[in-house]
């Protein structure tokens, strides 16, 4: 299946109260990660009314994205139409899809757009099916289990996480198809 694998970095955990600060995505075509077909941008966070939001230090500590880094970045209102166009009619994949899709759904609704991909697939769920006896299925553990490596500085940055998630998706679907 041809899909778009995506990942967000945010100011917090609530799609209603927090904001997106980075979007990364890559296409998987015919079981191959197409690194040239990617989408990557920082996003200046804004609240529901369009007001500027600051990145809390706790969130910055996780992903390393500072207020200075997003100062001149476009807002979600500016990047969401082009991201939705990049996704097109593809299915989407994310590690813990509920989190990322929740932010996309709320963000799209705020800006009069519709988040309605062909399907939403989750590598956490695929990992649980492929490794039913394992307890941990976070991206770091899954990468280790599958022998995948993050690029230096890539963990907890959207495109770094997307690269590993896309490779994990390909391997997990191959493993499950072989069962």
């Amino acid at each position: 299946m041809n899909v778009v694998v995506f990942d967000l970095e945010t100011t917090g955990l609530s799609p209603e109260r927090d904001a997106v600060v980075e979007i990364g995505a890559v296409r998987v075509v015919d079981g191959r990660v197409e690194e040239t077909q990617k989408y990557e941008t920082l996003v200046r966070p804004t609240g529901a009314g369009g007001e500027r939001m600051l990145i809390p230090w706790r969130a910055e500590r996780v992903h390393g994205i500072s207020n200075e880094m997003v100062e001149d970045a476009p807002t979600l209102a500016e990047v969401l139409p082009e991201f939705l166009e990049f996704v097109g009619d593809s299915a989407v994949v994310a590690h813990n899809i509920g989190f990322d899709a929740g932010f996309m759904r709320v963000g799209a609704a705020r800006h009069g757009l519709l988040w309605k991909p062909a399907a939403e697939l989750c590598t956490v769920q695929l990992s649980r099916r492929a490794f039913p006896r394992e307890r941990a299925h976070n991206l770091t553990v899954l990468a280790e289990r599958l022998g995948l490596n993050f690029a230096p500085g890539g963990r907890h940055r959207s495109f770094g996480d997307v690269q590993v998630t896309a490779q994990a998706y390909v391997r997990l679907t191959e493993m499950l198809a072989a069962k």
Side-chain angles (χ1 to χ4, degrees):
M1 182 188 294
N2 299 335
V3 299
V4 171
V5 181
F6 79 106
D7 181 73
L8 306 177
E9 298 304 330
T10 64
T11 61
L13 302 176
S14 170
E16 290 78 20
R17 291 186 307 274
D18 293 304
V20 173
V21 296
E22 187 176 42
I23 302 172
V26 67
R27 270 186 209 292
V28 174
V29 178
D30 298 327
R32 286 191 342 267
V33 179
E34 296 291 337
E35 295 280 344
T36 59
Q37 295 184 42
K38 67 180 185 174
Y39 184 90
E40 183 178 18
T41 187
L42 288 170
V43 179
R44 188 173 68 244
T46 56
E51 71 281 2
R52 174 91 158 100
M53 282 181 78
L54 295 177
I55 300 170
W57 66 271
R58 284 182 181 93
E60 182 179 342
R61 198 170 76 201
V62 171
H63 49 57
I65 300 169
S66 68
N67 289 302
E68 292 77 26
M69 291 169 69
V70 298
E71 184 67 33
D72 296 323
T75 65
L76 190 62
E78 295 168 307
V79 301
L80 200 49
E82 66 186 28
F83 178 66
L84 293 174
E85 185 176 320
F86 178 80
V87 170
D89 60 0
S90 298
V92 294
V93 176
H95 197 76
N96 191 12
I97 189 75
F99 178 83
D100 298 279
F103 271 89
M104 286 288 99
R105 225 176 325 284
V106 169
R110 277 190 189 148
H111 301 294
L113 301 167
L114 185 61
W115 171 256
K116 194 160 174 62
E120 294 179 355
L121 306 169
C122 183
T123 51
V124 172
Q125 295 303 318
L126 293 173
S127 178
R128 287 183 177 141
R129 288 189 12 224
F131 303 104
R133 290 184 163 76
E134 300 294 336
R135 292 186 63 191
H137 298 277
N138 67 60
L139 190 56
T140 300
V141 168
L142 180 59
E144 289 171 9
R145 197 173 284 142
L146 295 174
L148 304 173
N149 296 308
F150 291 91
R155 183 67 178 112
H156 292 297
R157 287 299 301 268
S158 287
F159 198 71
D161 285 355
V162 157
Q163 290 172 308
V164 169
T165 302
Q167 293 171 38
Y169 170 75
V170 169
R171 290 198 187 168
L172 289 167
T173 54
E174 289 171 349
M175 288 172 63
L176 292 167
K179 284 189 173 184

